[in-house]
Amino acid sequence: MFSYVWPIALIVLSNVVYQLCAKETPAAINPLASLTVTYTVGAITSAILYFTLNRGGNLLREYANLNWVSFVFGIALVGLEVGYIYAYKAGWPVSAAAIVQSSFLAVALLVAGFFLYHESISLNKVAGIFICMVGLYFINK
């Protein structure tokens, strides 16, 4: 059970910190300049964790297993972070921005899961989408 729950707990905790950091990014700095520091810290943290959790690991050997995903993932991460920073600069409240994007994301991933991975779209999932959209109406009212 723990191995099933801890990753979600880490995602939630990290996402709270992430949203607060995006909201608190100083108005005086260009978000892309700020992200150069963010990604430098992220790269260093990843390297430290890699070597801590993989005694005797070899990053260069690992890099031989890379494909296009790591590169596109990096671009997507920049898009996420810049999008949130600009959303908060535009005045989105921290209590609404994540909920709004998560609702639309859930719909987009439902469609992507159907077309890319042949996941089923059940009546319960369609009802969930409807409930999300009704919730968005009330959140933004």
Side-chain angles (χ1 to χ4, degrees):
M1 176 76 160
F2 178 76
S3 64
Y4 192 73
V5 172
W6 84 262
I8 299 301
L10 179 61
I11 291 167
V12 170
L13 175 63
S14 297
N15 212 330
V16 168
V17 173
Y18 170 95
Q19 296 298 333
L20 295 176
C21 288
K23 178 80 171 165
E24 294 296 324
T25 298
I29 190 166
N30 180 296
L32 297 171
S34 175
L35 287 177
T36 62
V37 173
T38 300
Y39 283 107
T40 300
V41 171
I44 292 167
T45 302
S46 294
I48 290 169
L49 286 171
Y50 173 81
F51 289 114
T52 301
L53 298 174
N54 297 288
R55 298 282 181 201
N58 184 327
L59 270 178
L60 294 179
R61 199 172 349 174
E62 294 284 349
Y63 292 156
N65 297 316
L66 285 174
N67 66 5
W68 62 271
V69 171
S70 295
F71 301 97
V72 174
F73 196 27
I75 294 167
L77 288 173
V78 171
L80 277 171
E81 304 197 10
V82 169
Y84 270 118
I85 293 169
Y86 277 114
Y88 291 134
K89 285 179 180 260
W92 274 88
V94 73
S95 61
I99 294 171
V100 170
Q101 76 79 28
S102 290
S103 295
F104 285 111
L105 176 63
V107 173
L109 289 176
L110 188 73
V111 173
F114 178 77
F115 285 110
L116 297 175
Y117 303 107
H118 310 290
E119 296 172 358
S120 66
I121 297 180
S122 67
L123 190 56
N124 284 345
K125 290 179 182 177
V126 172
I129 290 170
F130 177 74
I131 292 168
C132 284
M133 294 304 127
V134 170
L136 285 177
Y137 170 78
F138 285 107
I139 286 171
N140 289 298
K141 187 141 174 80

